[in-house]
Amino acid sequence: MLKCGGDVSADDKLVGVIGGMGPEATVDFMSSVLANTPATTDQDHIRMLVAHDPVIPSRQSAIRGEGENPGPVMAAIAAKLEQSGADFIVMPCNLAHAWQDDIVAAITIPFVSIIDVSVSSALQRSGPDSPVGLMTTPGCFAAGLYQQALAEVARPVIQQTPDELGEAMQWVGRIKAGDKSEEVVSGLRALADALIARGARVLIAACTEFPLVLNESMFDVAFVSSTDELAKLTVASARAERDD
């Protein structure tokens, strides 16, 4: 069992984070949690138990039927987080949610979905019939996670072409390698602008690498960062009883 120093309120929730997919995206998620926490002292912040495991098998490869299945690995991490005292689990990686059922089956505590919270934000930030521009990677697109969630609420979706998906993955690869140059930013902005030109009235950045170089100020429509939306809900869930 995890031991935490200091006096911790019985109402505080300990967040378990399945991280490392990718490493910088996990750090960005943690930074967003801090930024979205109303705190004036260290003790005001929420507690996070982060399993930063970048050697989790490739989700992109697995969704293509290649390489090791990451589901059991992520499930084992989730179970260890629960055993260590986590009250609920989050995972700042969109495609990894294709193996959500494996994770949920391994734990008895809640699992908070980045897909659900991102779609909910897109609906709240756009008109009732406004098309959603889905900006994602080939693997997440193939898994159909967002397409299914948006179909369930009958929201029209503007999707990327196969060429655009391939280009997005190239930019993501460069970001994962540490390249956040103007060329990378411009390339991803062009992909987002193409969705807007085809009618998108709100964009979902359905890859946690995208918000490392893109932000809402770059666009004329709402830009939903899946990283930030998960962070906001994480803070709200951790503080729910404290704030009641």
Side-chain angles (χ1 to χ4, degrees), residues 94-165:
N94 287 272
L95 174 53
H97 284 64
W99 293 273
Q100 177 176 330
D101 288 347
D102 291 335
I103 296 168
V104 171
I107 58 177
T108 62
I109 56 178
F111 177 84
V112 177
S113 168
I114 197 172
I115 311 297
D116 292 346
V117 68
S118 297
V119 168
S120 177
S121 177
L123 298 182
Q124 293 171 10
R125 300 182 62 191
S126 59
D129 299 315
S130 298
V132 176
L134 180 58
M135 188 176 180
T136 189
T137 62
C140 194
F141 181 88
L145 302 173
Y146 278 94
Q147 297 96 310
Q148 179 180 343
L150 289 162
E152 288 174 357
V153 293
R155 182 59 68 93
V157 184
I158 309 297
Q159 303 186 49
Q160 292 161 296
T161 67
D163 285 346
E164 288 169 342
L165 286 165

Side-chain angles (χ1 to χ4, degrees), residues 17-220:
V17 182
I18 304 175
M21 304 178 286
E24 190 171 2
T26 299
V27 174
D28 188 45
F29 166 76
M30 294 173 67
S31 295
S32 186
V33 168
L34 266 63
N36 283 286
T37 301
T40 56
T41 68
D42 290 351
Q43 291 73 27
D44 290 333
H45 285 279
I46 66 171
R47 299 176 297 144
M48 289 184 281
L49 181 59
V50 182
H52 191 266
D53 192 348
V55 298
I56 294 172
S58 168
R59 285 68 59 198
Q60 296 287 339
S61 295
I63 209 71
R64 296 193 302 267
E66 305 168 359
E68 183 181 349
N69 178 6
V73 179
M74 293 185 285
I77 293 171
K80 288 180 181 178
L81 288 169
E82 179 176 13
Q83 293 165 9
S84 297
D87 293 298
F88 64 96
I89 302 291
V90 300
M91 184 165 60
C93 174
N94 287 272
L95 174 53
H97 284 64
W99 293 273
Q100 177 176 330
D101 288 347
D102 291 335
I103 296 168
V104 171
I107 58 177
T108 62
I109 56 178
F111 177 84
V112 177
S113 168
I114 197 172
I115 311 297
D116 292 346
V117 68
S118 297
V119 168
S120 177
S121 177
L123 298 182
Q124 293 171 10
R125 300 182 62 191
S126 59
D129 299 315
S130 298
V132 176
L134 180 58
M135 188 176 180
T136 189
T137 62
C140 194
F141 181 88
L145 302 173
Y146 278 94
Q147 297 96 310
Q148 179 180 343
L150 289 162
E152 288 174 357
V153 293
R155 182 59 68 93
V157 184
I158 309 297
Q159 303 186 49
Q160 292 161 296
T161 67
D163 285 346
E164 288 169 342
L165 286 165
E167 187 177 346
M169 196 65 231
Q170 292 178 7
W171 299 127
V172 167
R174 288 178 59 169
I175 293 170
K176 284 180 178 289
D179 182 359
K180 291 183 281 187
S181 64
E182 183 56 38
E183 182 183 11
V184 173
V185 175
S186 296
L188 282 175
R189 283 189 68 175
L191 292 176
D193 286 338
L195 293 173
I196 296 171
R198 297 204 293 269
R201 298 279 68 87
V202 56
L203 295 172
I204 294 180
C207 172
T208 49
E209 266 74 39
F210 293 159
L212 293 173
V213 298
L214 301 179
N215 61 71
E216 189 160 26
S217 69
M218 298 175 176
F219 307 104
D220 295 329

